[in-house]
Amino acid sequence: MSKLRNILKVAGVATAGAIGTKLAVDFFKKRGKKEEAVSEDAPDILEPVDDDAEPSSTAEVAYAAVKSSSVQTFLDKSFGDSGRYVPDRAPKVFEYQGKQYMVIWADDTQKNKKQMMAFLYTDAGRKMVASVGYTLDTTDYNISLEDTPFAVEVNGDLITSGQSTTDGTDEVDFVLA
């Protein structure tokens, strides 16, 4: 899990102390089901005191629970427009099958839509692998997940690659393909 901690530090994202493992199928359940939310009152912890959690099989993820607000600085620095993206759902920061990811859901205050962004971390740096902007009228996406076990679910469809638009939605999820 040391790579996951390094990603949190590099991104400037603070955990709320909850670091653990769970089966991937449980971690990626639909949003409508119980999602681990971190109270905004929880203290920020840049260096968790818990022992590192290591997946015991390829069916598990190691994850760090973070507050939505803790990714604000990351978003401001990454996109150079302070306050454009405002997190609106608990981010997912996790390691799965040896690769590290961060998924953020935010309001795009400039374009008046919701945005889901997924990043893959490698030794070469951070790579955005999914960007989905959505309103009730239209959904636009640029997705490059074909080399991962993931997809983006939009209106019941699983999308692993491509750049296009589709029908509008009020929810987009990052799921196992």
Side-chain angles (χ1 to χ4, degrees):
M1 177 102 127
S2 61
K3 282 188 177 183
L4 188 56
R5 272 185 205 229
N6 289 340
I7 290 163
L8 291 167
K9 284 183 182 180
V10 168
V13 176
T15 70
I19 293 183
T21 62
K22 64 171 51 175
L23 288 175
V25 294
D26 293 334
F27 185 73
F28 293 106
K29 283 185 178 175
K30 291 279 297 160
R31 177 180 178 187
K33 301 201 170 43
K34 178 149 176 37
E35 182 174 11
E36 283 194 40
V38 178
S39 168
E40 290 299 316
D41 295 332
D44 289 343
I45 303 171
L46 287 174
E47 184 61 38
V49 295
D50 298 3
D51 291 334
D52 283 342
E54 294 289 335
S56 60
S57 75
T58 58
E60 286 187 338
V61 297
Y63 67 93
V66 298
K67 298 188 301 188
S68 296
S69 62
S70 74
V71 297
Q72 187 65 61
T73 301
F74 166 79
L75 291 169
D76 291 347
K77 286 181 182 177
S78 296
F79 297 100
D81 195 355
S82 184
R84 175 178 176 182
Y85 296 106
V86 178
D88 69 350
R89 178 177 165 190
K92 289 190 180 287
V93 179
F94 62 96
E95 181 174 322
Y96 184 62
Q97 297 180 349
K99 294 184 179 176
Q100 298 75 37
Y101 301 85
M102 180 165 50
V103 184
I104 300 172
W105 290 264
D107 290 320
D108 181 339
T109 60
Q110 189 177 81
K111 295 189 177 180
N112 200 28
K113 63 181 176 178
K114 302 268 188 200
Q115 190 78 26
M116 188 219 64
M117 298 163 273
F119 304 91
L120 169 66
Y121 286 82
T122 67
D123 291 338
R126 177 183 74 227
K127 176 183 176 187
M128 185 179 279
V129 292
S131 175
V132 183
Y134 55 103
T135 67
L136 292 176
D137 297 323
T138 187
T139 301
D140 60 83
Y141 61 87
N142 186 355
I143 299 173
S144 180
L145 294 168
E146 60 271 52
D147 294 330
T148 75
F150 299 107
V152 174
E153 185 176 1
V154 179
N155 294 323
D157 294 329
L158 298 181
I159 305 169
T160 58
S161 67
Q163 182 175 0
S164 189
T165 60
T166 189
D167 295 335
T169 187
D170 64 350
E171 181 178 78
V172 170
D173 245 323
F174 190 81
V175 298
L176 287 169

